Amino acid sequence: MTVNDLDTQVDDALKGDAAPPPPQGSSTRAVHGGTQRRKAYNALNTPIVQTATYTFRDTQDLIDFMERKTWGDGDDREEYGRYGNPTVHAVERKLAALDGGDDAVLFASGMSAVTSALLTILPTGSHIVMTDDCYRRTRQFCLTFLKRFGIETTVVPMGDYEAMEAAIIPKKTRILISESPTNPYLRIADLERIAALGRKNRVMTFIDSTFATPVNQRPIEWGIDFVLHSATKYLSGHNDLLAGVIVGRADRLKALRDSRGVLGGIVDPHNAYMLERGIKTLGVRVAQQNATAMAVARFLEAHPKIERVWYPGLPSHPDHVTAVAQMEAFGGVVTFEVAADLRTTGQFIDRLRIPYIAPSLGGVESLIEQPALMSYYEKTSEERLALGIKDNLVRFAIGIEDTNDVLNDLDQALAGI
Ligand SMILES: *Cc1c(COP(=O)(O)O)cnc(C)c1O
């Protein structure tokens, strides 16, 4: 077989005419998944097609394009920047390969992905069932924005599958929304159970898998319909861009791709290139973050100045058994309670030399925050407690620094309070 035959085979595979490639590990998929081996100008990397519109040779060329678009199965070219871009497509194919979906649609941010997906899927008068530990802004969108369009949401406790099923209203409920792991307690949703509930009751299922990454957890393999990632976090991995993606079955995502052309939450081609560049190192970054997080969780759990550690890799976590069953590893975020008040907890954070104080997670730099002062600042201690946020709670989003340096830093900071 010649190199040219191989290229033809790869091109055919991308068009879906050939047998699927053998299963590959997630790091190989992060580098090669969904990527055409031949690119314009024989470049190794995906070219950045920085254009807002696309031209037609002559009137006949335009008519041919419209005929193909209207009647045929289309082709690779685009008509206008809001409808698509080759650089964006390249990242979408990679993201689909990583999560085991057959298509992916990329958006300008994680929130743009969630809001566009729900606006596309849900008709007026429909109903959502959502778990209570969901991302704050997703919850806000459902409970306030969608409510204005006559879409109601029932919030059920995370981990209570009887309550989830009981909340389903026949013919009205269209979607079950959950997250795994959640923020900040890293609760794990039983994906197989949620998928089965969805199928049994003819309801679609949607999982925000941002904290897990496709390296640690692939909800589609458990039967989930839609997977969301804020690509701002681990996928891009460098705290330098915002993007979001929905992965799923091609027939389900077609409507979403079309509605993106209307709602307009497209990602810039340069940003898409930066995201693809980040994704190529996802496997090694996440392996390092998993390993350090596990070591940090064990270290903190044994430390006398720590009251409680929340990490799904520890047997003490309420969802440890589910996590072991459905995850490859447990991610790079460790949440814990310092045996101290609001102020002393802040002093511990201030003594740390490695992590920056910042919201977000998943990048190469470690980030740390006290949720009471970050996401819940405007509330009183009592209001926060009612939401389950203690004053001494700390969320540590681990970067790719050396494990021992991170442990030594925590050790010295705890010794100082
Ligand atoms: C950050 C985040 C989002 C929102 O994504 P953006 O890219 O910031 O819009 C949604 N879900 C989870 C779990 C997140 O961490």
Side-chain angles (χ1 to χ4, degrees), residues 318-396:
D319 302 318
H320 179 64
V321 174
T322 312
V324 169
Q326 76 189 22
M327 298 180 80
E328 314 260 339
F330 311 103
V333 176
V334 181
T335 301
F336 54 96
E337 292 160 28
V338 184
D341 59 8
L342 184 77
R343 243 181 104 213
T344 312
T345 303
Q347 284 163 359
F348 153 71
I349 287 178
D350 291 342
R351 292 186 69 88
L352 289 165
R353 292 288 160 261
I354 289 179
Y356 287 92
I357 300 174
S360 202
L361 59 137
V364 294
E365 297 91 358
S366 287
L367 303 180
I368 200 158
E369 64 159 290
Q370 206 171 343
L373 296 182
M374 187 70 76
S375 309
Y376 300 88
Y377 186 79
E378 72 283 3
K379 307 213 182 298
T380 64
S381 290
E382 290 70 35
E383 287 171 335
R384 285 195 290 262
L385 212 53
L387 293 168
I389 303 296
K390 292 189 184 177
D391 286 348
N392 61 348
L393 193 70
V394 176
R395 186 185 82 179
F396 190 11

Side-chain angles (χ1 to χ4, degrees), residues 163-175:
M164 184 179 262
E165 185 157 26
I168 295 173
I169 307 169
K171 298 201 169 78
K172 246 180 103 122
T173 307
R174 288 291 179 105
I175 197 162

Side-chain angles (χ1 to χ4, degrees), residues 65-74:
F65 171 78
M66 288 301 173
E67 286 289 310
R68 283 196 304 272
K69 193 171 123 178
T70 311
W71 310 112
D73 56 355

